[in-house]
Amino acid sequence: MSAAAMSPPLASGTASSTLGVAPGQPCDPRAGPCPQATSAGENGAESYALFERTGSTVLTRIDPRTLAPTASLVLDGYLYGPARSPDGTMLAIAASDRATVELIDLERLELVAAVPLARGERTSVRALAWLRDDRLVAVVQRMSVPT
Protein backbone atom coordinates (compact mmCIF):
# COMPACT_ATOMS: atom_id res chain seq x y z
CA MET A 1 0.00 0.00 0.00
CA SER A 2 1.24 3.47 -0.78
CA ALA A 3 2.32 5.74 2.04
CA ALA A 4 1.70 9.45 1.94
CA ALA A 5 3.32 12.33 3.77
CA MET A 6 3.01 16.09 3.68
CA SER A 7 6.03 17.97 2.39
CA PRO A 8 6.96 21.59 1.77
CA PRO A 9 6.58 22.98 -1.73
CA LEU A 10 9.19 21.76 -4.20
CA ALA A 11 12.46 23.58 -4.50
CA SER A 12 13.32 25.05 -7.85
CA GLY A 13 14.63 22.54 -10.39
CA THR A 14 13.56 19.33 -8.58
CA ALA A 15 10.88 18.24 -11.03
CA SER A 16 11.76 15.89 -13.85
CA SER A 17 8.35 16.23 -15.47
CA THR A 18 5.00 17.82 -14.73
CA LEU A 19 1.38 17.22 -15.61
CA GLY A 20 -1.33 19.77 -14.91
CA VAL A 21 -4.57 18.63 -13.30
CA ALA A 22 -7.01 21.48 -13.78
CA PRO A 23 -10.62 21.64 -12.60
CA GLY A 24 -13.16 19.94 -14.81
CA GLN A 25 -16.21 21.40 -16.48
CA PRO A 26 -19.60 20.41 -15.08
CA CYS A 27 -20.67 17.38 -17.05
CA ASP A 28 -23.72 15.32 -17.80
CA PRO A 29 -22.85 11.67 -17.09
CA ARG A 30 -25.57 10.58 -19.51
CA ALA A 31 -23.39 12.02 -22.31
CA GLY A 32 -20.39 9.82 -21.43
CA PRO A 33 -17.30 10.21 -19.25
CA CYS A 34 -16.60 13.63 -17.84
CA PRO A 35 -13.79 15.67 -19.44
CA GLN A 36 -10.55 15.41 -17.50
CA ALA A 37 -8.67 18.58 -18.37
CA THR A 38 -9.44 22.25 -18.84
CA SER A 39 -7.40 25.42 -18.74
CA ALA A 40 -5.36 25.80 -15.57
CA GLY A 41 -6.78 28.31 -13.11
CA GLU A 42 -10.13 28.49 -14.87
CA ASN A 43 -12.62 30.58 -12.88
CA GLY A 44 -10.01 31.12 -10.15
CA ALA A 45 -10.23 27.48 -9.05
CA GLU A 46 -7.15 25.84 -7.60
CA SER A 47 -4.88 23.93 -9.94
CA TYR A 48 -2.54 21.05 -9.25
CA ALA A 49 0.65 19.65 -10.75
CA LEU A 50 2.32 16.25 -10.54
CA PHE A 51 6.09 16.08 -10.20
CA GLU A 52 8.24 12.98 -10.39
CA ARG A 53 10.98 12.41 -7.86
CA THR A 54 13.16 9.35 -7.53
CA GLY A 55 10.81 6.68 -6.20
CA SER A 56 7.88 9.04 -5.61
CA THR A 57 5.33 11.38 -7.14
CA VAL A 58 4.52 14.78 -5.63
CA LEU A 59 1.06 16.32 -6.01
CA THR A 60 1.38 20.09 -5.58
CA ARG A 61 -1.41 22.65 -5.19
CA ILE A 62 -0.71 25.74 -7.34
CA ASP A 63 -2.04 29.26 -6.72
CA PRO A 64 -3.85 30.16 -9.98
CA ARG A 65 -2.87 33.84 -9.83
CA THR A 66 0.82 33.56 -8.94
CA LEU A 67 1.51 29.94 -10.04
CA ALA A 68 3.36 29.51 -6.75
CA PRO A 69 3.13 26.12 -5.03
CA THR A 70 1.06 26.35 -1.84
CA ALA A 71 1.06 22.76 -0.49
CA SER A 72 2.31 19.32 -1.51
CA LEU A 73 1.63 15.65 -0.89
CA VAL A 74 4.35 13.03 -1.47
CA LEU A 75 3.09 9.65 -2.70
CA ASP A 76 5.14 6.45 -3.02
CA GLY A 77 5.99 5.24 -6.51
CA TYR A 78 5.39 6.58 -9.98
CA LEU A 79 1.73 7.58 -10.42
CA TYR A 80 0.05 8.56 -13.69
CA GLY A 81 -3.27 9.15 -15.46
CA PRO A 82 -4.86 11.60 -13.01
CA ALA A 83 -8.63 12.04 -13.22
CA ARG A 84 -10.35 14.78 -11.22
CA SER A 85 -13.90 14.13 -10.03
CA PRO A 86 -16.66 16.21 -11.68
CA ASP A 87 -17.22 18.20 -8.46
CA GLY A 88 -13.46 18.84 -8.21
CA THR A 89 -13.01 17.43 -4.71
CA MET A 90 -11.24 14.13 -5.45
CA LEU A 91 -8.35 12.99 -7.62
CA ALA A 92 -7.97 9.41 -8.79
CA ILE A 93 -4.49 8.40 -9.91
CA ALA A 94 -3.03 5.06 -11.03
CA ALA A 95 0.09 3.36 -9.68
CA SER A 96 2.43 2.13 -12.43
CA ASP A 97 3.95 -0.81 -10.56
CA ARG A 98 0.69 -2.32 -9.31
CA ALA A 99 -2.93 -2.34 -10.48
CA THR A 100 -4.02 0.14 -7.82
CA VAL A 101 -5.95 3.40 -7.90
CA GLU A 102 -5.18 5.98 -5.23
CA LEU A 103 -7.89 8.46 -4.21
CA ILE A 104 -6.84 11.86 -2.92
CA ASP A 105 -9.01 14.43 -1.14
CA LEU A 106 -7.90 17.66 -2.85
CA GLU A 107 -9.22 20.02 -0.16
CA ARG A 108 -7.21 18.31 2.58
CA LEU A 109 -4.47 17.17 0.15
CA GLU A 110 -4.60 13.74 1.76
CA LEU A 111 -4.55 10.17 0.49
CA VAL A 112 -7.92 8.70 1.54
CA ALA A 113 -7.78 5.27 -0.14
CA ALA A 114 -5.60 2.96 -2.16
CA VAL A 115 -7.82 0.51 -4.02
CA PRO A 116 -6.14 -2.62 -5.42
CA LEU A 117 -7.98 -3.71 -8.58
CA ALA A 118 -6.02 -6.83 -9.55
CA ARG A 119 -3.02 -8.84 -8.45
CA GLY A 120 -0.11 -10.34 -10.28
CA GLU A 121 2.68 -9.35 -12.58
CA ARG A 122 2.06 -7.70 -15.93
CA THR A 123 -1.17 -6.08 -14.69
CA SER A 124 -1.76 -2.33 -14.73
CA VAL A 125 -4.42 0.37 -14.84
CA ARG A 126 -4.65 1.79 -18.36
CA ALA A 127 -7.33 4.49 -17.99
CA LEU A 128 -9.44 6.28 -15.39
CA ALA A 129 -12.66 8.27 -15.91
CA TRP A 130 -15.26 9.67 -13.53
CA LEU A 131 -18.82 9.03 -14.70
CA ARG A 132 -20.21 11.17 -11.87
CA ASP A 133 -19.03 12.29 -8.41
CA ASP A 134 -19.51 8.83 -6.91
CA ARG A 135 -18.60 6.65 -9.93
CA LEU A 136 -15.06 6.03 -11.15
CA VAL A 137 -14.30 3.62 -14.00
CA ALA A 138 -10.86 2.03 -14.31
CA VAL A 139 -9.61 -0.03 -17.25
CA VAL A 140 -7.23 -2.75 -16.05
CA GLN A 141 -5.07 -4.74 -18.46
CA ARG A 142 -3.43 -8.07 -17.75
CA MET A 143 -0.74 -8.87 -20.30
CA SER A 144 -0.09 -12.48 -21.27
CA VAL A 145 3.24 -14.16 -20.63
CA PRO A 146 5.53 -13.84 -23.66
CA THR A 147 5.96 -17.11 -25.51
Side-chain angles (χ1 to χ4, degrees):
M1 185 157 306
S2 178
M6 293 301 288
S7 77
L10 291 174
S12 174
T14 60
S16 61
S17 68
T18 62
L19 173 67
V21 183
Q25 293 286 331
C27 68
D28 182 353
R30 295 170 293 184
C34 299
Q36 298 303 319
T38 60
S39 301
E42 185 175 290
N43 299 329
E46 292 176 329
S47 294
Y48 297 83
L50 291 174
F51 296 92
E52 294 175 34
R53 284 190 182 165
T54 304
S56 66
T57 299
V58 180
L59 175 64
T60 302
R61 183 178 294 135
I62 306 293
D63 182 292
R65 286 173 281 152
T66 65
L67 301 180
T70 59
S72 294
L73 173 66
V74 177
L75 300 156
D76 286 343
Y78 173 67
L79 303 172
Y80 65 97
R84 193 167 182 175
S85 64
D87 67 3
T89 62
M90 297 291 291
L91 182 73
I93 192 164
S96 66
D97 59 342
R98 55 201 183 280
T100 300
V101 173
E102 296 190 358
L103 299 173
I104 299 163
D105 180 315
L106 291 174
E107 184 177 319
R108 296 181 297 168
L109 209 55
E110 179 179 294
L111 178 67
V112 293
V115 182
L117 301 176
R119 295 178 192 242
E121 294 181 15
R122 298 175 305 278
T123 303
S124 64
V125 177
R126 293 295 183 193
L128 296 170
W130 291 88
L131 299 180
R132 57 184 203 218
D133 293 338
D134 64 345
R135 294 281 189 251
L136 175 68
V137 173
V139 176
V140 178
Q141 180 181 17
R142 179 167 294 157
M143 281 68 73
S144 62
V145 177
T147 57

